[in-house]
Amino acid sequence: MSASPLSAASADPAMKPGAEVVLRALKDQGVEVIFGYPGGAVLPIYDALFQQNHIRHILVRHEQAAVHAAEGYARSTGKVGVVLVTSGPGATNAVTGLVDALMDSIPIVCLTGQVPTHLIGNDAFQEADTTGITRPATKHNYLVKRSEDLAAVLHDAFHIARSGRPGPVVIDLPKDILIKPAPYTEPPKPGAPHRSYRPVLDPDPAAIREAVRLLKGARRPIIYTGGGVINAGPEASQLLTEFVRLTGMPCTNTLMGLGAFPASDPQFLGMLGMHGTYEANMAMWRCDVMLNIGARFDDRVTGRLDKFSPESKKIHADIDPSSINKNVKVEVPILGDAARVLRALIAAWKEDATPFSRAQIEPWWRQIDEWRAIRCLAFTQDMTPGAVIKPQHAVKRLFEITRETGREVIVSTEVGQHQMWAAQYIGFEKPNRWLTSGGLGTMGYGLPAAMGAQIAHPEALCIDVAGEASILMNIQEMGTLAQYRLPVKVFILNNEYMGMVRQWQELLHGGRYSESYSAALPDFVRLAEAFHAKGLRARSIEELDGVIREMIAHPGPVIADICVAKDENCFPMIPSGAAHNEMILGPDQEKNAARVTDEGKVLV
Amino acid sequence: MSGTDTRTATIAVLVENEAGVLARVIGLFSGRGYNIDSLTVAPVDAERRLSRITIVTSGTEMVIEQIKAQLDRLVPVHKVSDLTLEGPHLVRELALIKVIGRGEQRVEALRLADAFRARVVDATVESFVFEMTGDAEKIDAFLALMRPLGLAEVSRTGAVAIARGTRQIAP
């Protein structure tokens, strides 16, 4: 780097080195923690970090994990998660995390180092076209080429990350910009209109009235909500609960929306979608009015589109206009923030003079109760000593025993069967306690996400429900847990298979288990010990509860290796390309999967 | 899903004049598999740092609605306007057309250029460069006539468009 023009210009006392301007902007944006990994291009920021006490830096072991940790932090607090990585490989390693945050609408600001401006485009050491690579991986990104833009770009990035539909924002920072003196500007006043980005927050009253009119006339209504309600803050979840109870209607949540409505409430039908409950999916299929708030008619939820909820009028409230009428054509689109939409719906419901009696939806509830009576999540666990642990039972006991402790519990997951079992058998009463990679489906998400949540909630019981394959994708973060004494519990459902891959191979590919066996697994107990953590193992049913209790009681990080049935499949299941009323309920009905066509198979 | 009937849409997009904005728009179209029939861009307001992009695209009504919504949520986009939907508008394209030939062909090319109001902007004893503005059909028609007369090279701007009357697109 060229030092000559840099040191000379610092005569103006209002000017500070770029790295200090960066940290001041972070501080003024309320940042307390950043997750990062140093390298040549960001050394000036690390030097400035060393000389201050406002912001805590958590040193991860891989940049992907830095982003997932920031996601876990953001998802569990509602704040923006902040990441700091170096140029080149630092930035490219972060890309998976960025896309993960983009798909799940998680607010992230990721600072990436860059080679000095005069070397950009020269194939310099550790140079990558970071803004080019991350353009489709972020909500927005910036390359700061002028020192006078630095502070404004940082403030802008936080505004973009957290407002409207949240998402990840990258700021690429050339090294000379971090060294050269730069002016500082204060954050814009809250509410000051952005130059070009102005998401609509307040719903159109006419659309709200139309929605209420439809809902009051409904005989078979359903309220289906997603991550948008979580993103709109805890108040939105309270308003959702209020609205659902006010109307007496059934409510289902997407994978991303779990916790927005209390799982223990009798009006809750459970999660919907590919591995959702029978009652939720059948209610979606048969309903006459559907109210979707903050969900996006994802293919994992709709199943076969041309057979999706054929008899319903649909109302869709979303903050992102591009989510409306993207997959499913709706009768009443409502643009707005989920909390404001719900507040308006509650007010309009009370104002509207149209009578609505619970009696008009009573037959619908009777129908739903019939579907519930099928008990789609029931399973049989042999309790004789030495019996093999069923994964469903392991998750169910984990939920029950953690609930007994009365502690605040935050659950993250990796991706696969264990993720679905966690979604099915763990009940969430409140938002921000459930961290999972929904859209991108990133194996390796859960451990760093739990780590980020634990940083934000030191007293909480943070558990990563994992599979033995997924956990190895970011296992290096056990080192971070050790360094910061983070008592995260890793609860591995070890069936020695990439379970969901194996399940699909069994159901759709003639039982040819191509490359899905987890060969040469490490000894997870000794692996835990190598990382200064506690290792536990449950081999059979009589050991399970003891291992869970010991895991929870231990004050430090733990890996619990739960050896579970190897051939268990995750049910219920809507086979790919099928409709909601074509669910497979259990092993006895697996033969129905034979109907999956090639057209269905391509639908992943 | 609302049918499979497709239509063409001419969309005007007012954007920040900043690095990367065109890449965002193009990346959106390629990433989501939308068609670009034509795309033009140029700064239109130096003081307010605005550029205007004109995109001609085609798709079902649902796809075109998606395109507009996706464009509108790009951070540096100020305004998205579907000129085709919003009423009468003008679409123009400029073409520079090189025709090489001698003798009678050359005379005929010049005569047709006059009929199409194409201007001669460069000439040698064996070539013309014509400049022509019009909608895409007019230019296509002229090119078809020039082909047997020694059409050698074409450079076209792609469509620019503006609403008729007092209607404006402002940020």
Side-chain angles (χ1 to χ4, degrees), chain A residues 506-525:
Chain A
E506 178 186 331
L507 298 180
L508 305 173
H509 295 275
R512 292 177 293 279
Y513 300 125
S514 178
E515 303 295 327
S516 56
Y517 181 67
S518 294
L521 280 173
D523 177 336
F524 284 107
V525 172

Side-chain angles (χ1 to χ4, degrees), chain A residues 165-208:
Chain A
R165 180 178 176 175
V169 176
V170 160
I171 310 174
D172 204 21
L173 296 165
K175 194 171 185 182
D176 53 331
I177 298 289
L178 294 175
I179 294 169
K180 267 195 282 193
Y184 185 71
T185 49
E186 301 289 330
K189 288 193 178 61
H194 189 269
R195 209 173 128 70
S196 59
Y197 182 70
R198 293 170 204 161
V200 175
L201 302 178
D202 286 311
D204 172 14
I208 294 288

Side-chain angles (χ1 to χ4, degrees), chain A residues 135 141 195-196 320 322, chain B residues 16 23-24 48 66 73 75:
Chain A
R135 199 171 287 126
N141 63 15
R195 209 173 128 70
S196 59
D320 177 5
S322 73
Chain B
E16 289 281 289
R24 283 180 215 285
R48 289 190 288 180
Q66 260 299 299
R73 75 182 191 142
V75 170

Side-chain angles (χ1 to χ4, degrees), chain A residues 453-464:
Chain A
Q454 189 81 76
I455 295 280
H457 307 272
E459 302 304 320
L461 181 54
C462 294
I463 304 171
D464 172 28

